[in-house]
Amino acid sequence: MSITQKEEKKVFGGRQMRFEHVSDVLNCMMQFSVFLPPQADQQSVPAVYWLSGLTCTDENFSSKAGAQRTAAELGLALIIPDTSPRGDDVPDDPDGAYDFGKGAGFYVNATQAPWESHYHMYDYIVSELPKLVEANLPINHQRAISGHSMGGHGALVIGLRNAERYASTSAFSPIVHPTAVPWGRKAFKGYLGDDVSSWEAYDATLLLKKSAGVALPPILIDQGDADNFLAEQLCTHYFTEANEVVGAGAQIRMQPGYDHSYYFIASFIEDHLRFHASNLR
């Protein structure tokens, strides 16, 4: 349960840090980033876990989203894991594709060779990483979860499957119905095999449809209507329809003129952090 600090920068009175550790779940060395607000110098603080999208590492969000200013004001830690296992022994897509293998763990527990030895990102996010940060840093057991694109998919799935662990869930441009779109089908077939029924546990729209009558933590989704992945890969309307059918009460906001980039995330990350803060308290 030990971590090694590699970097630290002061920002908005808090500390932006990077750590590494040996992951038992992923069977490799992993790195993750953390922002600790100034309040963490006096007491333990709640945390928002941020899951990044395809090709990202633990550093994209911390350097591009501008989230630290609001997190410092609200007293929120930001926990930012990598998007896949890493290392020379970790298998990668043989064709070097960006949407499978390293940088594209899809937050599932792989069951197929050669991926099953390392690609257990679901268990890493839900179990191993919280235990690490809560044991080694001034972070308490209050958690919220958010993410972008592939990470938005991960945040919604993890939030829906672990409602008792997260006060709230949010997402930017999430892949809401991965069993129905090319990115998801490719990843699930590779990591989980041909049995499509095994894919359903990692599909937020299908999980939401099964949640009728279940009390869910608050959910907020922002999606730009100028996102070039919206029609083929993200398909927000599937989740919107399921939300209406089951009466889940999720806020789903279409934002005119915004695309898939970190400019979009930076524009609305304050809203998301304030949303989480209100539910964590």
Side-chain angles (χ1 to χ4, degrees):
M1 296 292 288
S2 64
I3 58 177
T4 301
Q5 184 173 333
K6 306 298 290 184
E7 296 177 15
E8 180 173 323
K9 307 286 186 182
K10 188 167 184 177
V11 54
F12 297 112
R15 293 178 286 161
Q16 183 65 50
M17 298 177 287
R18 202 175 194 211
F19 298 91
E20 69 176 15
H21 72 103
V22 176
S23 169
D24 294 331
V25 169
L26 303 178
N27 193 27
C28 64
M29 183 72 75
M30 289 294 288
Q31 293 186 323
F32 65 93
S33 293
V34 174
F35 172 72
L36 285 179
Q39 295 86 338
D41 291 340
Q42 305 297 325
Q43 63 190 32
S44 64
V45 295
V48 176
Y49 287 75
W50 173 269
L51 308 185
S52 297
L54 290 167
T55 75
C56 290
T57 70
D58 60 295
E59 294 187 291
N60 293 77
F61 179 76
S62 63
S63 63
K64 294 180 178 181
Q68 292 92 341
R69 181 193 295 271
T70 302
E73 174 194 337
L74 298 173
L76 296 175
L78 304 174
I79 313 299
I80 312 160
D82 204 345
T83 52
S84 77
R86 302 282 181 174
D88 294 340
D89 295 333
V90 174
D92 197 3
D93 186 276
D95 299 319
Y98 74 93
D99 56 357
F100 192 79
K102 293 180 184 178
F106 268 85
Y107 305 101
V108 303
N109 288 337
T111 59
Q112 305 300 300
W115 319 103
E116 84 281 15
S117 296
H118 297 281
Y119 284 76
H120 291 168
M121 288 298 295
Y122 178 89
D123 282 350
Y124 179 70
I125 300 301
V126 173
S127 299
E128 187 177 35
L129 185 60
K131 288 178 182 177
L132 277 172
V133 299
E134 291 166 13
N136 290 280
L137 297 170
I139 292 171
N140 61 39
H141 300 311
Q142 297 183 76
R143 311 176 195 95
I145 191 164
S146 186
H148 172 236
S149 194
M150 177 186 71
H153 139 74
L156 290 173
V157 166
I158 289 171
L160 287 167
R161 288 179 57 177
N162 301 274
E164 75 286 354
R165 291 181 62 84
Y166 301 96
S168 49
T169 302
S170 75
F172 291 82
S173 316
I175 308 169
V176 298
H177 195 11
T179 62
V181 302
W183 275 343
R185 289 184 186 134
K186 176 180 179 179
F188 288 2
K189 182 177 176 63
Y191 295 136
L192 304 174
D194 294 328
D195 181 4
V196 176
S197 66
S198 70
W199 303 2
E200 296 177 1
Y202 299 104
D203 187 304
T205 295
L206 299 181
L207 291 169
L208 189 65
K209 286 181 178 179
K210 295 177 181 178
S211 71
V214 176
L216 297 173
I219 298 171
L220 171 63
I221 294 174
D222 273 320
Q223 173 63 59
D225 70 1
D227 190 322
N228 60 315
F229 298 115
L230 176 58
E232 182 181 20
Q233 304 284 11
L234 308 178
C235 301
T236 310
H237 66 279
Y238 286 121
F239 197 87
T240 301
E241 292 164 2
N243 181 53
E244 293 172 353
V245 168
V246 303
Q251 291 180 260
I252 304 167
R253 311 189 304 191
M254 295 298 296
Q255 301 291 1
Y258 285 91
D259 62 10
H260 199 72
S261 71
Y262 265 86
Y263 294 111
F264 173 45
I265 298 170
S267 298
F268 295 99
I269 191 62
E270 180 176 350
D271 284 2
H272 283 238
L273 293 178
R274 294 190 183 281
F275 164 77
H276 290 304
S278 68
N279 289 294
L280 286 162
R281 290 173 181 163

